Amino acid sequence: MTATAPAAQAAPRKNTPGAAGGPRPRTGRIRRIGLPYLLLLPALLLELLVHLVPMVIGIVMSFKELTQFHIRDWGTAPWAGLDNYAVSVDFDAPVGRALLHSFGVTLAFTLLSVGLCWLIGTAAAVFMQDTFRGRGLLRALFLVPYALPVYAAVITWVFMFQHDNGLVNHVLHDQLGITDKPSFWLIGDNSFIALLTVSVWKGWPFAFLIVMAGLQNIPRELYEAAALDGAGMLQQVRRITLPSLRPVNQVLVLVLFLWTFNDFNTPYVLFGRTAPEAADLISVHIYQASFVTWNFGTGSAMSVLLLLFLLVVTGVYLALTSRGRRTAP
């Protein structure tokens, strides 16, 4: 009888509040899990207000016959269904042909800009890995185009591309004698070269910054061992640097592609409201279709089509890169 008494007295303590498995530890666990989401809630609400809500409104507008006659109260605009999309993708009609031409120009411009930004940024980052006097100052100078405000930088290029007194014609024609006469850089076919130049000048420091950060994670012992085995600089870059930077480059190329394909500020500041035909990027083309011709329904449909294209490209790119990571040795 005396032996069973302590056990009988200890049994009720297992069900007392606050014991292991009781409600108090579970409440603390819920608070720990829910605290990060609670802290993220203001940012999520702001994201909804700034991005998602206008996106939903734009999708709704793409199904309406919204012109200047209904802009004051766009909710009263008649329902157009898929007519705006049909007009946009009718490549036999003027609107569809112009959109297809703009898409081709934008695609070529994006591929060239992203490729040159990545190439120049990677070369500069690899060059900056070696220690030499003035390396810190040179790194800071390389980041100046990325740190400058877009409008200030592009307006400076507008003055440099002027026909009569611009710095570009002064150097190419007056100083070096490469061209027979001063060129028009902001109109005609040369406008594509001018736009590509400004885009690359503005974008390659970002690639340089990302690649330079990725290079910090590559052990120096790999390069030392490769040098002892007789590998030159190009072989080291090919066998060590590029494979090690593959995850960084995958993200970098995707971000540069999305930024460049959607770039509106650079062509708008460089050319104004009406871009030349050779530099008619799709972002400016949609702006003209919406705010110049006052056909907001068609412009919204073009924006939705652009969104769908970028979503498809992003999905395919992520699928291919993830498959490559799984199959990599």
Side-chain angles (χ1 to χ4, degrees), residues 260-294:
T260 308
F261 207 95
N262 282 317
D263 189 13
F264 174 80
N265 294 329
T266 302
Y268 184 80
V269 178
L270 196 61
F271 304 116
R273 298 180 62 181
T274 304
E277 186 178 359
D280 185 21
L281 297 188
I282 197 168
S283 57
V284 181
H285 187 85
I286 293 175
Y287 169 81
Q288 294 174 351
S290 300
F291 295 95
V292 176
T293 63
W294 294 92

Side-chain angles (χ1 to χ4, degrees), residues 85-236:
Y85 294 92
V87 171
S88 301
V89 299
D90 186 7
F91 302 132
D92 294 330
V95 176
R97 283 198 303 269
L99 181 62
L100 183 61
H101 172 267
S102 177
F103 175 80
V105 171
T106 308
L107 187 60
F109 162 75
T110 302
L111 294 177
L112 289 174
S113 178
V114 171
L116 290 174
C117 286
W118 177 84
L119 182 62
I120 298 174
T122 302
V126 171
F127 173 73
M128 286 295 169
Q129 286 301 106
D130 295 332
T131 303
F132 56 90
R133 180 176 297 180
R135 184 180 67 167
L137 177 61
L138 199 57
R139 282 180 174 179
L141 291 177
F142 281 174
L143 295 177
V144 168
Y146 181 69
L148 284 176
V150 176
Y151 286 91
V154 178
I155 287 175
T156 303
W157 276 100
V158 171
F159 287 105
M160 293 172 61
F161 281 128
Q162 291 297 319
H163 177 264
D164 297 327
N165 52 5
L167 179 62
V168 175
N169 280 333
H170 176 71
V171 172
L172 296 180
H173 176 67
D174 300 336
Q175 299 293 329
L176 301 178
I178 296 177
T179 58
D180 297 334
K181 57 182 180 179
S183 303
F184 289 95
W185 294 101
L186 300 180
I187 59 175
D189 294 337
N190 290 333
S191 58
F192 183 86
I193 301 176
L195 179 61
L196 182 62
T197 302
V198 177
S199 178
V200 172
W201 176 85
K202 185 171 59 70
W204 79 264
F206 176 75
F208 163 72
L209 183 64
I210 299 301
V211 174
M212 186 174 60
L215 288 174
Q216 307 304 316
N217 296 323
I218 303 177
R220 300 299 302 176
E221 292 79 6
L222 296 178
Y223 294 101
E224 295 173 358
L228 292 176
D229 291 338
M233 181 179 179
L234 293 179
Q235 291 179 330
Q236 293 178 16

